[in-house]
């Protein structure tokens, strides 16, 4: 289980990105909101969609491998 966060500021595409706690691209603690513990980025994305309309997964830490 990983801990996920949602960026407070949108990226270039206008999406707020979901990041796991260990992501190298995660925003500072002042620029993110805690989503909670989830097994996958897709689970965290469902929670993020209840908070913001335009959200997406970080391509660095939440991509399907």
């Amino acid at each position: 289980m990983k801990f996920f966060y949602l960026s407070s500021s949108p990226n270039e595409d206008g999406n707020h990105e979901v990041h796991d706690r260990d992501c190298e691209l995660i925003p500072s603690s002042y620029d993110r909101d805690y989503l909670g513990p989830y097994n996958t980025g897709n689970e965290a994305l469902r929670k993020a969609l209840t908070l913001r309309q335009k959200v997406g997964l970080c391509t660095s830490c939440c991509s399907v491998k």
Side-chain angles (χ1 to χ4, degrees):
M1 191 154 289
K2 294 181 177 183
F3 297 94
F4 288 90
Y5 293 83
L6 181 63
S7 63
S8 300
S9 301
N11 63 14
E12 314 78 52
D13 299 326
N15 292 323
H16 296 267
E17 290 186 330
V18 173
H19 297 270
D20 83 40
R21 175 176 58 189
D22 299 323
C23 180
E24 60 188 31
L25 301 177
I26 193 168
S28 74
S29 59
Y30 298 107
D31 295 325
R32 65 185 185 215
D33 300 309
Y34 181 64
L35 292 173
Y38 296 96
N39 291 315
T40 67
N42 285 328
E43 289 177 11
L45 182 66
R46 275 184 250 141
K47 170 64 177 175
L49 285 168
T50 67
L51 303 173
R52 304 218 187 260
Q53 291 183 355
K54 293 186 74 178
V55 297
L57 295 173
C58 172
T59 56
S60 177
C61 65
C62 295
S63 63
V64 178
K65 295 176 180 143

